[in-house]
Amino acid sequence: MTMPSITAARLVALALALLALTACQSAPPQPFPDGAPTRPPQGCESLRERGGEC
Amino acid sequence: MLKLPEAGADLEATVHAVHGWAMARFVYVPDLERWHQDLAPNGDHWETDAELLADLERAGRVLGDCDAFAKLCWLLLRRLGVPSRLVACQAETGGWHLVCEASGWILDNRMPVATPREDLERLGYRWHSKSDYEPGGQWTTA
């Protein structure tokens, strides 16, 4: 194996290792987007009738 | 005197602390078993804050189903100043479910730790509606 091919192989291995490491790091979750107004679930409506908060 | 969870170094640490604290004190009891005389028409019962705190003060634990756990997490996160919401959804089983969300982190009694919402989506969760950050606010589609 010639020197250039060794260097290339090492670069490929390094790139693969970095890719693997990146894949292990999870991105922070994204909050829900804004939505359209809608009726609360029935359990929430019932709770509000009893003075509860939801 | 009840000792509530404390905020972590950052949001992720705080949601994990709150989820862990709530899980350690949560006992799953179906609504029909506990609230058989006080159920909504759909057979559901969402606990008031007073009911949750009374459980904790009396027995050191909260008895209920998913909405009791979600509401407990919502109560705890609000007390720590973390904006959070209730989210009505369907789990991968198709069953209706309620969780608590803070900046995309889902606090769910079905999960051992607070989980990114994207992970639950991959599992098959489908989001339907979410509360406001403040109690009594407008619900919106999720």
Side-chain angles (χ1 to χ4, degrees):
Chain A
M1 190 177 280
T2 63
M3 277 301 284
S5 64
I6 291 171
T7 304
R10 283 182 176 168
L11 283 174
V12 169
L14 179 63
L16 289 174
L18 286 174
L19 187 64
L21 282 173
T22 305
C24 289
Q25 294 173 345
S26 58
Q30 296 301 305
F32 288 100
D34 293 338
T38 189
R39 192 173 169 176
Q42 202 168 16
C44 175
E45 291 185 331
S46 174
L47 174 64
R48 285 178 172 174
E49 288 170 8
R50 291 186 287 120
E53 297 177 321
C54 53
Chain B
M1 179 74 177
L2 183 65
K3 189 175 185 307
L4 298 177
E6 296 176 358
D10 55 21
L11 173 70
E12 184 174 347
T14 299
V15 295
H16 283 299
V18 166
H19 188 278
W21 191 95
M23 281 296 270
R25 291 158 182 82
F26 176 70
V27 179
Y28 184 87
V29 178
D31 282 340
L32 189 60
E33 188 176 318
R34 178 142 198 234
W35 304 104
H36 57 281
Q37 291 179 328
D38 190 19
L39 292 179
N42 67 343
D44 209 2
H45 178 97
W46 289 22
E47 284 77 3
T48 63
D49 290 359
E51 287 169 340
L52 294 170
L53 291 171
D55 267 1
L56 284 170
E57 292 284 359
R58 186 180 59 250
R61 55 189 185 162
V62 164
L63 285 70
D65 62 6
C66 61
D67 39 76
F69 184 84
K71 285 213 66 204
L72 174 61
C73 291
W74 196 38
L75 169 67
L76 296 172
L77 287 169
R78 288 203 319 271
R79 288 193 171 203
L80 293 172
V82 178
S84 54
R85 300 179 280 198
L86 299 172
V87 182
C89 59
Q90 282 179 281
E92 78 283 0
T93 60
W96 285 95
H97 191 39
L98 191 75
V99 298
C100 178
E101 179 255 358
S103 297
W105 287 99
I106 304 295
L107 292 86
D108 178 353
N109 67 289
R110 300 178 75 237
M111 295 294 142
V113 294
T115 309
R117 74 177 177 94
E118 293 86 351
D119 289 357
L120 294 179
E121 288 167 7
R122 282 189 281 273
L123 189 62
Y125 274 48
R126 286 185 292 159
W127 315 114
H128 287 273
S129 59
K130 59 187 183 302
S131 73
D132 192 13
Y133 290 106
E134 294 300 323
Q138 174 69 56
W139 281 65
T140 53
T141 54

